[in-house]
Amino acid sequence: MGKIRIVVVEDDPLHMEKVEMAIEQLDYHLISVSDNADEALRIIRATKPDIVLIDINLNGEVDGITLAGKLKETLPMPVIFTISFADKATIDRAKVTNPYAYLIKPLEIKSLQAAIELAIYNFINDQVHYT
């Protein structure tokens, strides 16, 4: 596998800037960024990234959990949720989409790297075991 290809779905410009810088420092390939689920879904379907980082709270009617559910149904890939807070109700909603990680913002570069690397590894192993 070459550089890990990532799509980021984030509606907070400050967090987006930090994630972009972290992805660059980690030498991953940032395919695209989006601030809403509808646009993100089109981008993800067109580019088929290796992994998607999704903010749970997004602009628009569709939140990140619903977006992850749509991906799970149509285009399985590892998803890492990002959020500014971690209340139990949100975590319980997120769990049903089987995310590969759940990171609290602001993201630490080492935590982000570990989550991405483990998510990709576990996703590939899951595919081998289910085929």
Side-chain angles (χ1 to χ4, degrees):
M1 175 184 271
K3 280 188 180 184
I4 293 173
R5 301 168 56 248
I6 302 171
V7 168
V8 178
V9 188
E10 170 64 62
D11 63 352
D12 182 313
L14 181 61
H15 288 295
M16 186 63 248
E17 186 178 316
K18 289 180 179 180
V19 171
E20 285 179 304
M21 288 187 331
I23 288 171
E24 184 178 314
Q25 286 178 345
L26 293 168
D27 200 30
Y28 298 141
H29 175 65
L30 179 61
I31 295 173
S32 183
V33 298
S34 177
D35 68 354
N36 69 80
D38 293 330
E39 177 185 60
L41 192 56
R42 284 190 297 277
I43 291 167
I44 293 164
R45 285 181 174 153
T47 62
K48 296 178 179 56
D50 298 312
I51 192 164
V52 181
L53 302 177
I54 303 176
D55 179 17
I56 288 180
N57 299 313
L58 295 172
N59 290 326
E61 294 179 20
V62 180
D63 69 4
I65 295 171
T66 303
L67 172 60
K70 288 180 181 182
L71 290 175
K72 182 179 175 186
E73 293 172 5
T74 61
L75 190 63
M77 66 183 54
V79 167
I80 295 175
F81 283 126
T82 62
I83 192 159
S84 297
F85 57 90
D87 66 278
K88 181 161 176 24
T90 302
I91 292 171
D92 287 345
R93 259 190 78 223
K95 284 192 295 191
V96 301
T97 65
N98 296 318
Y100 280 79
Y102 190 102
L103 297 173
I104 307 298
K105 297 186 260 185
L107 302 179
E108 298 288 330
I109 192 165
K110 298 271 186 204
S111 297
L112 179 62
Q113 181 180 25
I116 290 171
E117 298 288 335
L118 288 171
I120 299 276
Y121 178 83
N122 288 329
F123 180 77
I124 290 169
N125 279 339
D126 288 349
Q127 299 306 300
V128 169
H129 290 103
Y130 291 118
T131 54

